[in-house]
Amino acid sequence: MKRVLIVDDESIVRVALRSLTDWESWGYTLVKDCLDGFQALEYIRNHPVELLITDMKCPAWTVWALSDG
């Protein structure tokens, strides 16, 4: 299973992404969702993921800064 991390500052978006897709039927495991890039970077440093789904512009950190990590 490929590991997925969701990053979005809006909780309703995180909930929707978690619940509207049957991740396991597609071969993915949803490992965590984070509300900002700081949380995501901390998680990724210790737990690599194959797929990162993120808002393009979260407060205090953009996706571009996160991808440069």
Side-chain angles (χ1 to χ4, degrees), residues 29-45:
T29 299
L30 186 56
V31 293
K32 186 168 179 65
D33 62 83
C34 300
L35 44 95
D36 62 32
F38 296 113
Q39 284 184 350
L41 186 57
E42 182 69 26
Y43 184 83
I44 290 170
R45 284 183 174 153

